[in-house]
Amino acid sequence: MIEKIHIQNFKSINDLEIDVGRVNLIIGENGAGKSNLIEALVFVSANQSNKLDNEFLVSRGLRVTKPILMRNAFEDTDKNKSIKISIGQKDDLDSYEFINENTEYSKWTYPILKSFSDGLSKQFPDEKKETLDKMLSTFLNTISKNKELFVDALNEELDEKNQVYLSDEHKFNFENFLIYSPDYKSLKDFYNVGQIEPLGVNGEGLFRLLKVIKNYKEPEHMEVITKSLELFDWFGGIHIPDDLEMGEKELIIKDKYLASDIGINNTNEGFLFILFYVTLIVAKETPKAFAIDNIDSFLNPKLCTKLIKLVIELAKKYDKQIFLTTHNPTILDGIDLFDDEQRLFVVSRSDKGHTKADRIEPPKGTTKEDWEEQNYGLKLSDIWLSGAIGGMPKDF
């Protein structure tokens, strides 16, 4: 589990450093940079997987735009400046750097490769530059995709700084990090399997994964999923057929008030979203670290509060690190700011437009009773809506 994130020159983020916990809730105005913060972690995942192609970045939940706009576009910023991201423990970080030539169809590459390209280019006459650039582009792309084939040989000749960009050894594994944004259409289609397994960013593959969990040697995981669905007072059980992929049977939901069972197409949206979130956390095959964008989608306000409490409980039980964004105040009522594993961040923009993130926490030495008294017994949702902690529009 990582404790610190340091992001420089990524989208609306100029220079941002935050200390994170196990479950990190991120709130703020629309356009403040909440998604940019978690998208930076996808870049780290791409680097660790040796895949900086747009196809990989998009499939992991990053909103890809022109290279010049992937960096921050503030007036006082060098448009060719690299993106730098570091993650890790407070005093022990893995550092990454990303560069792009800002030309059409140019790809993100590693700094050591750019240095090699620039040095070689200077040795050729101008009339040969176009041909050389094409050859180098092919060469660099090949290296980026087959880095492990020459890393060992090069490392003997490189200084320690450059080894950071070529080494395949990462102390903090973020190789499978992605941002989930499930949608109802993908969740209810149990024939659909996404590009990424076991779960795609929109929820593809959910029912195939449920079948896998059902066949675990330990019944506990399926029992936890079933128990979690009791958040819905009408829920009477779930039946997962043995061969969902063949379409022989439909996943069946039992409503304790109805004589007949419910097919998946007649199940309400909120139920499927809760089923997805719980399965995502409980399953052995899902990433150890991931993000969920707008976790409040399709959920009743009271259910939002119950959900976040459940997410925190399961994240601790199954050792997952989670980053969440929300626009629903009632989500805040499910977190405990006196538990250091649960953290709340308010994201906003500075006077220069740079994204910043402030952690909301009780003053040191404050008890829960003191905190409630200082805030007149208000819930966190009320405090947020009041504008006391920021993250709300100021013009209306």
Side-chain angles (χ1 to χ4, degrees):
M1 192 171 77
I2 65 169
E3 298 175 348
K4 183 184 287 291
I5 301 171
H6 188 190
I7 306 166
Q8 295 172 284
N9 198 38
F10 179 71
K11 293 191 173 183
S12 63
I13 299 173
N14 183 55
D15 193 328
L16 174 64
E17 185 173 287
I18 59 171
D19 294 334
V20 295
R22 178 175 297 281
V23 177
N24 304 277
L25 184 58
I26 304 166
I27 63 173
E29 295 184 50
N30 295 87
K34 300 185 298 295
S35 296
N36 294 345
L37 197 163
I38 55 178
E39 284 180 355
L41 298 177
V42 175
F43 246 144
V44 172
S45 173
N47 184 289
Q48 290 192 358
S49 303
N50 298 331
K51 295 178 181 178
L52 284 169
D53 302 286
N54 284 351
E55 297 92 330
F56 183 88
L57 296 173
V58 170
S59 69
R60 296 274 163 174
L62 194 152
R63 300 163 300 171
V64 174
T65 184
K66 293 181 179 180
I68 196 170
L69 297 178
M70 292 288 281
R71 306 175 178 91
N72 73 54
F74 302 113
E75 291 184 4
D76 58 349
T77 302
D78 177 2
K79 303 304 182 290
N80 292 308
K81 192 176 179 182
S82 61
I83 295 171
K84 296 181 180 180
I85 304 169
S86 299
I87 65 168
Q89 305 298 318
K90 292 182 180 179
D91 300 316
D92 185 15
L93 301 178
D94 275 345
S95 298
Y96 304 85
E97 189 169 354
F98 310 91
I99 60 164
N100 194 294
E101 296 295 338
N102 288 338
T103 58
E104 293 293 335
Y105 310 118
S106 58
K107 298 181 182 295
W108 294 96
T109 57
Y110 306 100
I112 185 63
L113 303 181
K114 181 179 185 301
S115 299
F116 170 79
S117 172
D118 290 346
L120 189 59
S121 180
K122 291 176 183 178
Q123 301 178 38
F124 282 73
D126 291 341
E127 61 268 21
K128 299 288 186 179
K129 289 290 178 63
E130 184 175 350
T131 301
L132 177 64
D133 287 345
K134 290 180 180 178
M135 293 175 64
L136 285 173
S137 178
T138 301
F139 173 68
L140 295 179
N141 289 336
T142 301
I143 286 179
S144 296
K145 293 177 181 178
N146 301 279
K147 196 172 66 172
E148 66 279 357
L149 298 179
F150 62 90
V151 166
D152 291 340
L154 280 179
N155 272 346
E156 294 182 4
E157 304 299 328
L158 297 174
D159 62 27
E160 186 175 322
K161 179 179 179 182
N162 283 331
Q163 287 185 35
V164 171
Y165 308 121
L166 291 176
S167 175
D168 281 327
E169 296 182 4
H170 307 286
K171 294 186 289 292
F172 309 101
N173 187 353
F174 251 59
E175 191 170 318
N176 298 316
F177 184 91
L178 67 161
I179 302 169
Y180 292 101
S181 299
D183 65 61
Y184 182 54
K185 182 179 179 181
S186 297
L187 289 176
K188 72 175 183 177
D189 182 5
F190 59 74
Y191 298 106
N192 187 21
V193 178
Q195 178 181 349
I196 297 178
E197 295 181 330
L199 292 174
V201 294
N202 297 129
E204 307 94 327
L206 173 61
F207 299 111
R208 181 181 176 187
L209 180 57
L210 282 169
K211 193 188 81 168
V212 171
I213 295 173
K214 178 186 175 184
N215 292 324
Y216 283 174
K217 291 182 179 179
E218 315 91 347
E220 173 214 343
H221 297 76
M222 199 66 231
E223 291 170 0
V224 168
I225 292 174
T226 303
K227 181 68 176 177
S228 298
L229 294 173
E230 292 177 4
L231 286 173
F232 299 89
D233 61 0
W234 53 264
F235 176 71
I238 184 171
H239 173 67
I240 302 169
D242 293 327
D243 209 342
L244 277 171
E245 286 112 332
M246 298 302 295
E248 293 178 0
K249 296 179 181 179
E250 189 177 13
L251 184 142
I252 299 299
I253 310 298
K254 297 182 181 295
D255 185 323
K256 64 185 181 183
Y257 298 112
L258 301 179
S260 300
D261 296 331
I262 304 173
I264 198 64
N265 287 321
N266 294 316
T267 305
N268 73 76
E269 298 96 330
F271 179 87
L272 285 180
F273 277 75
I274 297 289
L275 177 60
F276 173 80
Y277 296 141
V278 174
T279 303
L280 171 62
I281 301 173
V282 167
K284 300 175 184 177
E285 295 80 5
T286 52
K288 279 292 188 182
F290 56 84
I292 301 173
D293 209 10
N294 295 319
I295 193 172
D296 51 271
S297 297
F298 288 97
L299 299 179
N300 175 278
K302 284 286 188 181
L303 189 55
C304 285
T305 303
K306 290 285 189 180
L307 170 62
I308 197 67
K309 290 181 178 180
L310 179 63
V311 165
I312 292 165
E313 175 188 339
L314 296 180
K316 292 180 178 182
K317 182 179 179 67
Y318 294 100
D319 192 25
K320 300 291 177 81
Q321 185 170 28
I322 308 175
F323 298 82
L324 308 170
T325 70
T326 185
H327 290 100
N328 191 322
T330 58
I331 286 284
L332 275 64
D333 293 336
I335 67 172
D336 179 4
L337 296 184
F338 287 85
D339 177 1
D340 199 44
E341 291 196 283
Q342 307 175 40
R343 302 199 179 187
L344 172 63
F345 297 95
V346 177
V347 172
S348 58
R349 303 284 283 270
S350 70
D351 293 340
K352 291 185 177 181
H354 302 167
T355 289
K356 60 180 183 177
D358 297 308
R359 181 184 174 188
I360 304 301
E361 58 181 329
K364 293 188 184 302
T366 303
T367 65
K368 284 190 178 183
E369 292 74 19
D370 292 338
W371 172 261
E372 291 177 357
E373 184 177 342
Q374 291 170 11
N375 292 284
Y376 306 100
L378 294 174
K379 297 180 179 178
L380 263 177
S381 56
D382 297 323
I383 296 173
W384 184 20
L385 286 170
S386 73
I389 59 175
M392 283 289 174
K394 299 176 182 177
D395 298 331
F396 53 91

